[in-house]
Amino acid sequence: MLSAFSTVLVANRGEIARRVIRTCRSQGFGTVAVYSDADADLPWVREADRAACIGGGVPSASYLDGDAVLAAAKRTGADAIHPGYGFLAENAEFAEKVVRAGLTWIGPTPVAMRCMASKANARRIAVEHDVPVVPGFDRDLDDLDQVRVWADGVGWPLLVKASAGGGGRGMRLVAGFEALSEALASAEREALSAFGDGTLLIEKYVARPRHIEVQVLGDQHGRVMHLGERECSVQRRYQKVIEEAPSPAVSADLRLGLGAAAVRLASAVGYVGAGTVEFIVDADEPDQFYFLEMNTRLQVEHPVTEEVIGIDLVEWQLRVAAGQALPTLDLSTLSGHAFEARIYAEDPMRDYLPGAGPIHRLDLDGPGVRVDAGYGAGDAVGIHYDAMIAKLICHGPDRITALRRMRRAVDNAWVPGVVNNLPLLREVFRNPAFEAGDLDTHFLGREGLPSAPPLNLERGIVAATLIGWVSRSVQGALGQITAGWRLDGPAWQSDEWSCFTESAVGQWRHRSGSSLDVRVGDETFAVTLLDRVGDRFFVDVDGVRQTWRIICVADTVFAHFGDGEAMVSRAPRFPPPAALDEDPGSCVAPTPGVVIAVRVSVGDRVSRGQVLVTVEAMKMEHAIASPSNGVVQSVRVQTGDSVDEGALLVAIDADEAGD
Ligand code: ADP
């Protein structure tokens, strides 16, 4: 059969744009990338055959602008559009426009997308097709008495959700009736601003939910099949961090039930292409599953399914869009086990606050590791988009082998520069409950994660001393070190280093050749530099040979020791923002971002905890509260301003302590 299309425009960015481009190329299709002004230098732009700029950095001015995407397709001669995930992927109106423009939409029909776009509507279709749903209430939410009667029947707590929701937005956990009306109002506000649709529904809150989802694939000939499940219970903020396939909790019977329900639902809407039917399973009642929602697109975590089934889902999206029939797949060909870990530019120790900044190195490769990354070394994570940097995927013949590979992969991974969640990932893969597969969506909190990662201050100082010593050596030639060398023997020199709130003095002296002694506190390390290739330092430390990776950026040294990492600076790493020094009661930005609301004016009296400014960073809103009671002295920002971390937003003349 002749292909219906020959050149695919990928209407997305980051790792998914690269991943789709990769398969398109391998299948012989031409590729077109689109990008915003903010993304012009990122990898997928170069990896496609052609690339077109579609507007400014703010998503609504580029990746969410369907007309700009269509104009780019026209300009570049693309005749098909792959939407990736997020942005326009679930926008039925855009899919219709694509088809109307005579292009191929690599995704389900707009009709199927519409049926599943609203969680409330999808629930109704599920009920009609005998797919169990979480007990829920989606009638008139204004009648609180009626809601109360229903809620008292199913039992509190309840979960308020945005019907058009996604990404955990508009979700509120409600403990009892007294908190309901405020939760409904704030969820509606958030849903309206995020999705332009404030419709809500309420569900019974499943106490120990496991998030288990089923991959489905449909073709244009009426066939729908499922490709087994993924377990996605390791979450923060209702969003996934680690996924695996198959689920350690799904029995063969449950798999049959989940798969059949997913196929029933997808068939009910004539589903074409790749989609995911999400369920929750109560960990206390493991044979019972409930439908949550259907995502009418490829998911972030699709690679774990690819690894265990041995197919390329993007390839099948392309084949299906070109009219090919699905293959016959026997799920007993399901092979082994796969994990995926998402590396996010976020700080697990600061309530997962996303961070923006440079990626000095992106060392993720390793034996048996699949890397799907949106960035390369030298790129920077900006403030406009999702904070995901990369995904690591490991496969093995069984769960423990895959897990072992994953442990090594995250131990070895090194992304110095922007703050990231690698320390958390390292902990999770070593956690005994995780290893036992004892998961639910509260796993992280229940296990006391994240805990503070090791600072490795001493080894960090040794690494910093070593790289400093090498760069100070004569022309960098090893063995000709003069610094600190005196006729009467090498003298001790010292430097002060800090890492977050800790600091220590590192003393060092040249011993002989390329050997150093480094003393930190009571400990002395005998270090010999044996060889160096770029950032890789082959060293002997106290008789043990090992490879350390060390880089120095401005005053900060980043080091990776194979089994841990460190970051030490000559200056305090996080100096208190000047504004805070000047006025401890003032309100500063906790993260770089864009100001989306300013709620106070000069002269207003404010109280501690009152939200003064809202900053949006990486798809998340941060309500920034007043740290003190007092009077607003000046408002330093307005809506639309970009702010750096630590920027003064509102200066407050704080009341005297004790007020
Ligand atoms: P979104 O579309 O915003 O991602 P989902 O409906 O997919 O929202 O739910 C996201 C997560 O929220 C689930 O993976 C689960 O952790 C939690 N969740 C959703 N519904 C319930 C429920 N009824 N009870 C308990 N947890 C839930």
Side-chain angles (χ1 to χ4, degrees):
M1 184 195 298
L2 275 181
S3 263
F5 53 91
S6 62
T7 301
V8 179
L9 180 149
V10 185
N12 217 297
R13 67 182 299 283
E15 67 89 17
I16 194 61
R18 296 181 86 185
R19 192 254 165 280
V20 173
I21 289 168
R22 196 163 67 224
T23 293
C24 288
R25 294 185 83 116
S26 79
Q27 297 300 305
F29 291 103
T31 52
V32 174
V34 292
Y35 62 95
S36 74
D37 287 342
D39 284 343
D41 296 323
L42 292 178
W44 76 94
V45 180
R46 292 186 295 271
E47 287 166 3
D49 297 332
R50 291 162 167 222
C53 180
I54 51 168
V58 181
S60 60
S62 48
Y63 300 106
L64 284 171
D65 182 348
D67 292 337
V69 172
L70 283 171
K74 200 160 176 203
R75 209 155 73 231
T76 55
D79 51 6
I81 292 191
H82 191 302
Y85 53 68
F87 297 123
L88 296 164
E90 291 178 276
N91 185 322
E93 206 180 311
F94 175 65
E96 264 160 6
K97 280 190 183 173
V98 170
V99 175
R100 243 185 282 126
L103 309 178
T104 300
W105 169 250
I106 302 172
T109 61
V111 174
M113 292 166 75
R114 280 219 168 84
C115 288
M116 294 298 165
S118 132
K119 289 187 208 275
N121 199 38
R123 281 173 58 94
R124 278 176 223 127
I125 300 174
V127 172
E128 279 163 23
H129 291 85
D130 218 12
V131 174
V133 297
V134 190
F137 189 96
D138 56 8
R139 284 163 281 152
D140 181 9
L141 292 178
D142 289 335
D143 187 348
L144 285 187
D145 289 333
Q146 217 192 336
V147 179
R148 180 179 209 158
V149 171
W150 171 81
D152 288 343
V154 299
W156 300 85
L158 299 174
L159 195 63
V160 171
K161 285 184 175 183
S163 185
R169 278 179 155 189
M171 240 186 235
R172 297 286 184 281
L173 181 60
V174 191
F177 184 71
E178 33 333 309
L180 182 63
S181 114
E182 172 51 34
L184 288 172
S186 85
E188 184 178 353
R189 266 197 314 273
E190 192 169 306
L192 261 178
S193 96
F195 315 110
D197 175 355
T199 315
L200 303 176
L201 72 140
I202 309 182
E203 282 179 1
K204 177 183 167 57
Y205 183 70
V206 176
R208 284 190 61 206
R210 296 182 83 117
H211 177 118
I212 293 175
E213 58 184 35
V214 177
Q215 176 71 52
V216 294
L217 206 48
D219 65 19
Q220 297 187 34
H221 310 283
R223 178 135 179 262
V224 176
M225 63 192 210
H226 79 89
L227 301 178
E229 82 286 351
R230 297 184 283 258
E231 164 95 48
C232 313
S233 297
V234 179
Q235 303 186 346
R236 42 80 176 113
R237 293 205 177 108
Y238 301 116
Q239 293 302 298
K240 305 156 187 168
V241 192
I242 290 174
E243 301 94 346
E244 60 181 297
S247 162
V250 169
S251 63
D253 278 353
L254 183 58
R255 180 164 303 122
L256 283 177
L258 284 164
V263 168
R264 264 199 316 278
L265 188 75
S267 304
V269 296
Y271 201 81
V272 171
T276 296
V277 184
E278 298 191 329
F279 297 94
I280 45 180
V281 173
D282 191 339
D284 298 322
E285 204 190 343
D287 297 328
Q288 181 60 52
F289 59 86
Y290 304 100
F291 168 70
L292 267 187
E293 64 165 352
M294 179 167 188
N295 291 324
T296 53
R297 55 171 166 84
L298 199 65
Q299 302 262 104
V300 176
E301 59 276 22
H302 74 276
V304 290
T305 299
E306 296 186 321
E307 295 298 315
V308 294
I309 305 273
I311 67 165
D312 178 330
L313 279 166
V314 175
E315 180 185 328
W316 275 100
Q317 288 187 298
L318 295 166
R319 286 171 181 250
V320 163
Q324 285 191 25
L326 291 176
T328 305
L329 260 189
D330 176 5
L331 269 196
S332 60
T333 59
L334 205 126
S335 132
H337 206 97
F339 288 98
E340 174 183 276
R342 304 185 188 192
I343 303 178
Y344 280 106
E346 67 183 18
D347 188 350
M349 296 307 293
R350 289 173 76 204
D351 197 22
Y352 301 98
L353 197 68
I359 298 171
H360 300 309
R361 293 289 182 276
L362 192 78
D363 283 3
L364 302 175
D365 288 330
V369 186
R370 167 173 165 183
V371 178
D372 284 14
Y375 299 88
D379 294 333
V381 180
I383 58 168
H384 294 299
Y385 313 107
D386 187 89
M388 195 168 77
I389 299 172
K391 308 182 304 203
L392 299 181
I393 303 110
C394 288
H395 177 248
D398 47 43
R399 190 171 186 267
I400 190 66
T401 309
L403 181 57
R404 228 175 18 238
R405 290 188 171 142
M406 207 70 225
R407 284 176 184 155
R408 244 191 110 66
V410 293
D411 282 357
N412 183 58
W414 193 40
V415 189
V418 70
V419 64
N420 63 67
N421 66 339
L422 276 167
L424 173 69
L425 298 176
R426 292 178 187 133
E427 280 194 285
V428 173
F429 287 117
R430 289 221 149 59
N431 179 281
F434 184 88
E435 180 171 336
D438 179 15
L439 301 174
D440 59 66
T441 61
H442 308 302
F443 167 81
L444 289 175
R446 184 158 37 81
E447 292 298 311
L449 297 175
S451 56
L455 293 180
N456 290 316
L457 183 64
E458 287 81 9
R459 275 199 294 177
I461 290 175
V462 174
T465 304
L466 184 64
I467 195 172
W469 177 73
V470 168
S471 60
R472 263 177 296 195
S473 68
V474 179
Q475 309 294 323
L478 291 178
Q480 295 184 16
I481 314 301
T482 52
W485 197 88
R486 293 199 318 227
L487 268 184
D488 58 349
W492 285 97
Q493 309 201 20
S494 58
D495 299 300
E496 179 156 5
W497 298 97
S498 69
C499 173
F500 294 94
T501 49
E502 305 278 310
S503 63
V505 171
Q507 290 181 296
W508 60 276
R509 69 173 176 193
H510 175 224
R511 197 163 3 106
S512 63
S514 55
S515 296
L516 282 177
D517 292 321
V518 184
R519 200 152 66 191
V520 185
D522 303 334
E523 236 182 310
T524 302
F525 301 82
V527 185
T528 301
L529 177 58
L530 302 164
D531 197 5
R532 176 194 178 183
V533 181
D535 307 338
R536 291 177 182 267
F537 291 69
F538 188 46
V539 289
D540 182 311
V541 181
D542 295 336
V544 179
R545 293 185 170 198
Q546 50 206 294
T547 301
W548 288 4
R549 284 169 275 170
I550 315 173
I551 59 168
C552 180
V553 181
D555 268 342
T556 300
V557 172
F558 300 88
H560 190 291
F561 311 106
D563 61 351
E565 56 178 309
M567 178 182 72
V568 296
S569 304
R570 282 185 188 275
R573 168 83 180 142
F574 294 121
L580 273 187
D581 275 351
E582 282 160 18
D583 190 344
S586 291
C587 173
V588 298
T591 173
V594 175
V595 175
I596 57 169
V598 179
R599 300 178 195 281
V600 281
S601 316
V602 174
D604 285 358
R605 166 148 277 285
V606 293
S607 43
R608 184 173 337 133
Q610 180 183 339
V611 175
L612 307 185
V613 176
T614 310
V615 169
E616 189 177 71
M618 301 155 124
K619 298 204 322 187
M620 278 182 49
E621 287 173 22
H622 303 275
I624 300 161
S626 174
S628 49
N629 298 330
V631 174
V632 174
Q633 209 179 39
S634 65
V635 177
R636 304 290 180 93
V637 289
Q638 54 186 14
T639 305
D641 284 357
S642 290
V643 290
D644 289 329
E645 180 178 339
L648 176 61
L649 304 174
V650 178
I652 296 162
D653 190 4
D655 296 347
E656 294 299 317
D659 272 4

